[in-house]
Amino acid sequence: MTSEYGCNVCNEEYSVQDPLKCPRVLTGCGHTICHSCAMIIAGRNISIFCPFDRTSTNIPGGDLNNLKKNFALLELLEKIADTGGISEIGEGVQKHDRYAKDRLLNVKCDEDSEHVAVFYCTVCDSNLCDRCSEFTHSTNVLSKHRRVPLTEKPVPKVHCRLHSSYVVEFVCKEVSCDNESPLMCLMCRDYGRHKGHCHVLIEKEVDDLREKLREHLGELTRQSEIVERALNSINSTIHELTPGIDDGSLEETKQEIRNHFYRLHSNLDQDETHALETLDRYARNRIENLQAQKDRLEVVSTKIGSTCITLQKALVLEKDNILDRKDDLLALAESTNAEPTEVPDRSQLRTRIAFSFSNDRKLHIGDFIEARVVLLGLDGSGKTSIVRRLKKVRIDAVMAPHPTSGFNIETIHYKNYRLNVWDVGGLPKLRNLWKHYYSNAQAIFYVIDGHAVERFNEAIKELNKVMSDPLLISCPVIVAINRKGGASSLNGHMDVLMSQLEALPFQHELHFCDAAQGSGIDQILDQITVCLSRLNGTCPV
C-alpha cells in the first residue's frame, strides 16, 4: 500500500534504492507508474498503454530501462528521507499530511467508528483509516486490494428499483407517463413499465438539470447583487437622513436653514423651530418609507440566499436524488426568481433635500408646484371677496359690491403649491370669453351666491355649460356656495339647489363658505390642493 508517494497501480511506495519501484514517466500522457507495474503491463510489447487513460507510449529500444525516470519525484523522496519525513514551514515544524482533504470529509472508519477514514477499498467496499488499512490488509491476498483516497472514491452506480441487477441508464420523457419514477434500466425500457416511452440518457438529463440550476443560480446571484447594492444605498440614504449624523445631508440642510433664519433677526426664532420640525417630520416619513423597502428587500435577499444554498447543495447530489427532487428544485428556483426585486429609483434615494419659503416665511420641502386655478361664477357671487380672504386681505364690512371687469390674477402660496388664481368677471357679456381662460386650467373653482335664490337656475346652467367643454374632461371642479352662516342656514330653496348639483353629469366637490366672515375658506384651499395632488400624483406637504 502506498504511504504518501506511491504507485497508484500496485499501491506500493516508490523507492530510490529498489529498481523495481523506480518511478517511470509515460511520456505519451505524463502519468507515472513504478518499473514493476510497467513490466507487467508492457509484457513483450514495444509500447505500453497507460492504465489510467489508455494513452500509448513507445518504449525506446524495447527496453523499459530507457523510459524516463521521474527525477522530480526521486529528488523529493531523497529530501523526505534525509529530513525523516518532516518539512520545515517558517519557524515551526509541521508534518506533511497527504490525506488532509480526505479527513475533511469526516467519514467514519468501518473498522473503528472513532477513527476518521481516509481510504476506500474498491474490493472490500469499505472506508478505512490509515491504521486499520494497514492492519486489515496486511496479508498477501488483501494487500493486493486496490485502495484509493476517499476523495477519489468512484461514484456508485444506481441500480433499478425493479430490476436490481440492472443499472439505471435512462430517464423517461413521456408526457403521459404516470409511473412513480422516471428512472429506467434496459429492462424497463424494452420490456417493462416504460416500454415504448420517449427517453434520454440519464447523464444528459442530469447535465441539463444541472445547467438549468446553474442558470437559476447565476440569475439569483445577480439579483442578490442588485438587492445588496440597493440595501447598501438605502442604508447610506438612511444614514444621510438620520438626525444627529454630523456628515449627513439632513444635518447639512438643517444648517442651511439655520443660516437662513439667522439672517432674519431674532423675531424669526419661532418660525425657524416650526421649519425644523417640518424637516424632521419629512425626514422621518422618508426613513419610514425607505425602512419598509429595506425590510422587503432583506426578506427577498434572505430567500434568494436560502434558495442559492439549496441549489448549490443539489448540484452535488447523486443522480437519482437530484432527479427525485427535480420538480421541487425547479419550482423553488422559479418561485424565488419570480420574487419582486424592485429597488428604489434615484428620486427616492436622493439625499439632497430641496426646500423653499413662502412669503409668510413657511418652509416647504421641495419646489412649489405651479397650478392655474380659474375662479368662475355669476357676477356678484362673491368671487373677489373669496380671493381677498385667500390673500388674508382685510375686508371692510360696508364695502359696496364692485363687479370685476375682465380678470384679476392673484398668487397664493398654500402648502407646497403656488396657486395662480384667475378671478374672471361674471357679467353676461364676459361669459362667452370664459373658455379662453379655463383652456389651460388645472382646477375650476365655481362660486354660487347662496342668497340669490332667483339666480340658482342660471348659475347651474352656466356651470353645466362650462363643464361640457371637452377641454375640461379631467379637470377637477370645486363648487363653493357663498352664504352667510355657511351650511347652518339651509332652507327649502337650498334643498332644490343641492338636488340640481347632485344631478350634474360630472364629479365635483361641494363646499360652503362665508366670504364676509372668512369661514370655510381654508377648507376650500385644502380641497383644491388635494384635487391637484390627485391629478399630479403628488401629496401636499
Side-chain angles (χ1 to χ4, degrees), residues 5 47 84 102 172 184 237 283 320 325 329 342 370 376 384 440 464 479 509 534:
Y5 301 98
S47 62
D102 305 287
C172 181
M184 65 169 80
T237 304
D320 55 338
R325 298 184 60 191
L329 292 172
E342 297 178 2
E370 298 280 350
L376 301 175
T384 303
N440 294 320
N464 204 16
V479 178
E509 301 291 338
R534 291 174 183 168

Short mmCIF file of all heavy atoms in Angstrom, two decimals, residues 5 47 84 102 172 184 237 283 320 325 329 342 370 376 384 440 464 479 509 534:
data_model
loop_
_atom_site.label_atom_id
_atom_site.label_comp_id
_atom_site.label_asym_id
_atom_site.label_seq_id
_atom_site.Cartn_x
_atom_site.Cartn_y
_atom_site.Cartn_z
N TYR A 5 3.82 8.74 -1.11
CA TYR A 5 4.17 8.88 -2.52
C TYR A 5 4.37 7.49 -3.08
O TYR A 5 5.42 6.86 -2.87
CB TYR A 5 5.45 9.71 -2.68
CG TYR A 5 5.31 11.09 -2.10
CD1 TYR A 5 5.79 11.38 -0.83
CD2 TYR A 5 4.66 12.09 -2.81
CE1 TYR A 5 5.64 12.64 -0.28
CE2 TYR A 5 4.51 13.36 -2.28
CZ TYR A 5 5.00 13.63 -1.01
OH TYR A 5 4.85 14.88 -0.49
N SER A 47 5.51 -1.05 -26.87
CA SER A 47 4.78 0.13 -26.39
C SER A 47 3.97 -0.29 -25.18
O SER A 47 3.71 -1.47 -24.95
CB SER A 47 3.86 0.71 -27.47
OG SER A 47 2.87 -0.24 -27.85
N GLY A 84 13.76 12.86 7.48
CA GLY A 84 12.93 11.98 8.30
C GLY A 84 11.44 12.15 8.06
O GLY A 84 10.63 11.89 8.94
N ASP A 102 -9.01 14.29 2.57
CA ASP A 102 -9.86 13.13 2.84
C ASP A 102 -10.39 13.17 4.27
O ASP A 102 -11.52 12.77 4.53
CB ASP A 102 -9.07 11.84 2.61
CG ASP A 102 -8.48 11.79 1.21
OD1 ASP A 102 -9.23 11.59 0.26
OD2 ASP A 102 -7.25 11.99 1.10
N CYS A 172 -37.23 8.64 -18.38
CA CYS A 172 -38.44 8.68 -19.21
C CYS A 172 -38.86 10.13 -19.44
O CYS A 172 -38.92 10.92 -18.50
CB CYS A 172 -39.57 7.90 -18.53
SG CYS A 172 -41.10 7.87 -19.51
N MET A 184 -35.18 4.56 -15.54
CA MET A 184 -35.41 3.25 -16.13
C MET A 184 -34.09 2.57 -16.50
O MET A 184 -33.10 3.24 -16.81
CB MET A 184 -36.28 3.39 -17.39
CG MET A 184 -35.62 4.17 -18.53
SD MET A 184 -36.54 4.05 -20.08
CE MET A 184 -37.81 5.26 -19.80
N THR A 237 -28.56 56.14 2.45
CA THR A 237 -29.55 57.21 2.45
C THR A 237 -30.12 57.42 3.84
O THR A 237 -30.30 58.57 4.29
CB THR A 237 -30.68 56.89 1.46
OG1 THR A 237 -30.11 56.67 0.17
CG2 THR A 237 -31.68 58.02 1.38
N ALA A 283 -38.15 64.03 7.07
CA ALA A 283 -37.08 63.01 7.10
C ALA A 283 -37.59 61.70 7.70
O ALA A 283 -37.26 60.61 7.21
CB ALA A 283 -35.88 63.53 7.89
N ASP A 320 -29.84 9.91 -8.86
CA ASP A 320 -31.23 9.57 -8.52
C ASP A 320 -31.82 10.57 -7.54
O ASP A 320 -32.98 10.96 -7.65
CB ASP A 320 -31.30 8.16 -7.96
CG ASP A 320 -30.37 7.97 -6.76
OD1 ASP A 320 -29.39 8.75 -6.63
OD2 ASP A 320 -30.58 7.03 -5.98
N ARG A 325 -35.74 15.09 -6.79
CA ARG A 325 -36.10 16.43 -6.31
C ARG A 325 -36.20 17.44 -7.44
O ARG A 325 -36.23 18.65 -7.19
CB ARG A 325 -35.05 16.91 -5.31
CG ARG A 325 -34.93 16.04 -4.07
CD ARG A 325 -33.93 16.63 -3.09
NE ARG A 325 -34.33 17.96 -2.69
CZ ARG A 325 -33.54 18.77 -2.01
NH1 ARG A 325 -32.32 18.40 -1.68
NH2 ARG A 325 -33.96 19.98 -1.67
N LEU A 329 -36.91 21.39 -6.87
CA LEU A 329 -35.80 22.32 -7.07
C LEU A 329 -36.15 23.38 -8.10
O LEU A 329 -35.90 24.58 -7.90
CB LEU A 329 -34.54 21.55 -7.50
CG LEU A 329 -33.92 20.64 -6.44
CD1 LEU A 329 -32.81 19.79 -7.04
CD2 LEU A 329 -33.39 21.46 -5.27
N GLU A 342 -37.93 44.97 -6.90
CA GLU A 342 -37.94 46.37 -7.27
C GLU A 342 -37.10 47.16 -6.29
O GLU A 342 -37.27 47.05 -5.08
CB GLU A 342 -39.38 46.90 -7.28
CG GLU A 342 -40.28 46.20 -8.31
CD GLU A 342 -41.70 46.72 -8.26
OE1 GLU A 342 -41.96 47.64 -7.44
OE2 GLU A 342 -42.53 46.21 -9.03
N GLU A 370 -46.47 74.73 -9.47
CA GLU A 370 -47.30 75.76 -10.09
C GLU A 370 -48.65 75.16 -10.50
O GLU A 370 -48.71 74.05 -11.04
CB GLU A 370 -46.60 76.33 -11.32
CG GLU A 370 -45.28 77.03 -11.02
CD GLU A 370 -45.49 78.45 -10.50
OE1 GLU A 370 -46.64 78.93 -10.57
OE2 GLU A 370 -44.51 79.06 -10.03
N LEU A 376 -64.61 81.05 -11.42
CA LEU A 376 -65.74 81.43 -12.24
C LEU A 376 -67.00 81.56 -11.38
O LEU A 376 -67.06 81.05 -10.26
CB LEU A 376 -65.97 80.40 -13.35
CG LEU A 376 -64.82 80.14 -14.32
CD1 LEU A 376 -65.18 79.01 -15.27
CD2 LEU A 376 -64.47 81.40 -15.11
N THR A 384 -64.44 87.78 -5.88
CA THR A 384 -63.33 88.65 -5.49
C THR A 384 -63.18 88.69 -3.98
O THR A 384 -62.05 88.72 -3.45
CB THR A 384 -63.55 90.06 -6.05
OG1 THR A 384 -63.68 90.00 -7.47
CG2 THR A 384 -62.38 90.96 -5.69
N ASN A 440 -56.39 76.11 -20.15
CA ASN A 440 -55.16 75.51 -19.59
C ASN A 440 -55.24 75.38 -18.07
O ASN A 440 -54.22 75.32 -17.39
CB ASN A 440 -53.94 76.35 -19.96
CG ASN A 440 -53.67 76.34 -21.45
OD1 ASN A 440 -53.81 75.31 -22.11
ND2 ASN A 440 -53.31 77.50 -22.00
N ASN A 464 -72.92 74.02 -15.96
CA ASN A 464 -73.07 72.85 -16.84
C ASN A 464 -72.49 73.14 -18.22
O ASN A 464 -71.89 72.27 -18.85
CB ASN A 464 -74.54 72.47 -16.92
CG ASN A 464 -74.72 71.01 -17.30
OD1 ASN A 464 -73.79 70.22 -17.23
ND2 ASN A 464 -75.92 70.65 -17.73
N VAL A 479 -67.04 73.41 -6.21
CA VAL A 479 -68.19 74.32 -6.19
C VAL A 479 -68.34 74.86 -4.78
O VAL A 479 -68.45 74.09 -3.82
CB VAL A 479 -69.48 73.61 -6.65
CG1 VAL A 479 -70.67 74.57 -6.56
CG2 VAL A 479 -69.33 73.08 -8.07
N GLU A 509 -66.62 68.68 -6.15
CA GLU A 509 -66.54 68.77 -4.69
C GLU A 509 -67.33 70.00 -4.24
O GLU A 509 -67.15 71.09 -4.78
CB GLU A 509 -65.08 68.89 -4.24
CG GLU A 509 -64.19 67.74 -4.65
CD GLU A 509 -64.52 66.45 -3.93
OE1 GLU A 509 -65.15 66.53 -2.85
OE2 GLU A 509 -64.18 65.37 -4.44
N ARG A 534 -54.06 64.73 -6.48
CA ARG A 534 -54.55 63.54 -7.17
C ARG A 534 -54.25 63.61 -8.65
O ARG A 534 -53.88 62.62 -9.28
CB ARG A 534 -56.05 63.41 -6.96
CG ARG A 534 -56.48 63.07 -5.53
CD ARG A 534 -57.99 63.11 -5.41
NE ARG A 534 -58.43 62.87 -4.04
CZ ARG A 534 -59.67 63.07 -3.62
NH1 ARG A 534 -60.59 63.52 -4.48
NH2 ARG A 534 -59.99 62.83 -2.37
#
